[in-house]
Amino acid sequence: MQTVLVTGGAGFIGANFILLARKLAWANVINLDKLTYASNLENLAELQGEKNYHFVQGDIGNFELVSYLLEQYQPEAIINFAAESHVDRSILNPENFIQTNVVGTFQLLEASRLYWQKLSPSRQQQFRFLHVSTDEVYGSLKSQDAAFREDTPYAPNSPYAASKAASDHFVRAYHHTYGLPTLTTNCSNNYGPRQFPEKLIPLTILNAMDGKPLPIYGDGQNIRDWLYVIDHCEAIQLVLQQGKIGETYNIGGLNEQTNLIVVEKICAILDELVPKSDYSHSSLITFVKDRPGHDRRYAIDCSKISQDLGWQPQENFDSGLLKTVQWYLDNPEWVNQVRSGAYKNWLKQNYDHKKLE
Ligand code: NAD
Ligand code: DAU
């Protein structure tokens, strides 16, 4: 069985990826995570004590630590999920995004290169560095524009997107210059269990469960292409095993929705599962000031991964959303734990100044 170093594995997508990898028993996993506000070790509680899973608290930007872990565990692959991932936070405080997404990815690449260069030729051939990126690097689409392809020029609009674009360029350069066997995936908005409730879908679910306003930025007509997190994790595993070295792969849900429709669908599910006698959840919808520089539309053309590797998203949006809402209802301990000081402070910081007069 191969050993993989997963970074950012205590976050939303990384944790779902590790749980899937261990369920399918295809890899021993070393999880390196700094444990920022977005992480949650509860996500991985079921793996505690497993001999094929090791957690290490640390920063991808810590070159000595990463080099030590590579020497110690001799992984066949690195999968880099670690990032500052929330656009609104990047608008309020961009510096952390440069540190982790740009400098951190650079240090991780540099430690990986030095490790890889010392491997035997056959192990060098086997090794992969898979970098998980985003469709936001391509910028914003107009309603009639074709979906993002792998050759769409980069045009990042937020500090978050710019930091991810920079990291993608470093990954590309490490392949081109040093021959490091890299793979990059650019995916659309993920949803599913275990997502920190600063992002639209879990924020809406938690606020609606509490009878609080459901904030919609601007006119609610911005479009995102929603991808169920398990579909995404399966695609990453496939790219890791069969992707062509040095290539990038777009991963999307083939599922474009306006934000208003997404929030209305969540409200309809909650009306069914936890009906209120005196109001419908949709009455909580509240339009608030728009996000500065808000990208209008994202859409992914995933024909390359579909044709080359045979991947297609499997989850249907209505059933995926139902599973997601049900997960938050079924896990009150997880929900109560994340409703910590840090989360409350974020709601105040981001939403107080967005109220419309
Ligand atoms: P997340 O914010 O839920 O989790 C990020 C994890 O990275 C956290 O556990 C955090 O502690 C860890 N981390 C942050 N800085 C670190 C550092 N310096 N060193 C080590 N660990 C660190 O993010 P997510 O939603 O799971 O996203 C994972 C990756 O996928 C990110 O690279 C993100 O840019 C990308 N992505 C996410 C989405 C999405 O919809 N969530 C879509 C496209 C791409
Ligand atoms: O497209 C991929 C990206 O998707 C990832 O790279 C990012 O890591 C991830 O955070 C996500 O970015 P978005 O900005 O699209 O996700 P978010 O959930 O923050 O917002 C989704 C849409 O909903 C966006 O148009 C803004 C809007 N929104 C968001 C929040 C938090 C609201 O209307 N109200 C809100 O309170």
Side-chain angles (χ1 to χ4, degrees):
M1 204 190 304
Q2 67 168 344
T3 297
V4 297
L5 174 65
V6 171
T7 70
F12 165 50
I13 306 175
N16 278 290
F17 180 82
I18 291 174
L19 291 173
L20 187 70
R22 290 306 311 138
K23 189 166 133 198
L24 303 176
W26 69 266
N28 299 320
V29 176
I30 318 303
N31 176 11
L32 171 65
D33 196 297
K34 188 177 171 183
L35 296 185
T36 70
Y37 78 91
S39 66
N40 195 334
L41 281 178
E42 269 306 300
N43 286 339
L44 298 159
E46 66 194 78
L47 300 182
Q48 243 178 15
E50 257 204 38
K51 70 175 178 12
N52 295 318
Y53 169 74
H54 299 279
F55 173 73
V56 180
Q57 182 173 4
D59 193 324
I60 55 166
N62 183 340
F63 175 85
E64 286 77 22
L65 173 65
V66 174
S67 303
Y68 167 78
L69 293 175
L70 294 174
E71 285 306 319
Q72 176 82 4
Y73 290 104
Q74 298 281 311
E76 276 84 22
I78 297 174
I79 306 159
N80 183 29
F81 291 98
E84 288 292 336
S85 70
H86 192 39
V87 173
D88 292 317
R89 287 187 193 257
S90 83
I91 293 168
L92 291 174
N93 182 12
E95 192 171 345
N96 291 341
F97 289 71
I98 312 302
Q99 280 313 323
T100 284
N101 301 0
V102 186
V103 181
T105 302
F106 159 72
Q107 296 289 6
L108 185 67
L109 279 164
E110 191 58 359
S112 306
R113 171 175 80 89
L114 296 175
Y115 163 73
W116 173 75
Q117 284 175 337
K118 283 191 273 166
L119 294 175
S120 66
S122 69
R123 293 203 66 220
Q124 276 194 350
Q125 262 188 358
Q126 266 187 331
F127 183 80
R128 297 289 181 275
F129 182 105
L130 191 153
H131 177 62
V132 178
S133 190
T134 171
D135 58 1
E136 300 206 11
V137 297
Y138 299 121
S140 182
L141 294 169
K142 298 198 174 63
S143 55
Q144 69 283 5
D145 287 346
F148 301 130
R149 292 161 42 94
E150 286 77 0
D151 55 6
T152 301
Y154 274 30
N157 288 323
S158 69
Y160 162 71
S163 69
K164 292 296 288 187
S167 67
D168 294 7
H169 291 325
F170 274 102
V171 173
R172 177 192 157 92
Y174 267 65
H175 172 65
H176 190 80
T177 305
Y178 304 111
L180 188 71
T182 62
L183 295 156
T184 299
T185 55
N186 294 83
C187 74
S188 59
N189 288 61
N190 283 220
Y191 71 102
R194 304 179 176 82
Q195 187 168 29
F196 187 80
E198 64 189 353
K199 309 281 164 54
L200 178 68
I201 288 182
L203 177 95
T204 301
I205 297 171
L206 263 64
N207 278 13
M209 281 160 64
D210 290 350
K212 288 188 187 153
L214 309 179
I216 301 217
Y217 297 166
D219 62 3
Q221 295 306 308
N222 300 66
I223 291 174
R224 297 293 183 264
D225 174 357
W226 292 96
L227 170 68
Y228 194 61
V229 66
I230 301 301
D231 278 333
H232 181 202
C233 294
E234 286 172 354
I236 289 175
Q237 189 191 346
L238 195 63
V239 171
L240 186 66
Q241 290 170 335
Q242 294 178 32
K244 204 166 149 211
I245 288 173
E247 300 263 319
T248 69
Y249 292 88
N250 281 356
I251 306 170
L254 300 174
N255 175 35
E256 290 184 53
Q257 307 281 348
T258 65
N259 294 335
L260 187 56
I261 298 255
V262 170
V263 172
E264 283 172 349
K265 278 179 182 285
I266 294 170
C267 291
I269 292 171
L270 284 166
D271 283 348
E272 282 286 313
L273 297 181
V274 280
K276 302 286 176 196
S277 54
D278 47 344
Y279 67 93
S280 152
H281 289 91
S282 60
S283 66
L284 300 169
I285 290 176
T286 307
F287 289 89
V288 300
K289 270 188 207 148
D290 210 351
R291 171 187 279 174
H294 195 174
D295 284 340
R296 193 64 173 168
R297 173 179 165 235
Y298 303 143
I300 283 269
D301 177 342
C302 52
S303 50
K304 177 176 172 181
I305 186 171
S306 163
Q307 279 159 20
D308 293 3
L309 307 184
W311 177 88
Q312 289 277 357
Q314 299 300 312
E315 191 66 60
N316 151 300
F317 191 46
D318 287 336
S319 63
L321 211 48
L322 177 61
K323 281 190 218 170
T324 305
V325 173
Q326 191 68 62
W327 187 87
Y328 284 91
L329 291 171
D330 289 346
N331 288 277
E333 279 175 23
W334 190 98
V335 168
N336 290 334
Q337 194 218 339
V338 298
R339 278 189 183 123
S340 64
Y343 171 60
K344 270 195 254 161
N345 289 343
W346 169 247
L347 292 186
K348 213 173 156 34
Q349 217 186 327
N350 192 48
Y351 293 95
D352 273 7
H353 70 280
K354 284 192 190 294
K355 283 186 189 133
L356 292 175
E357 301 308 322

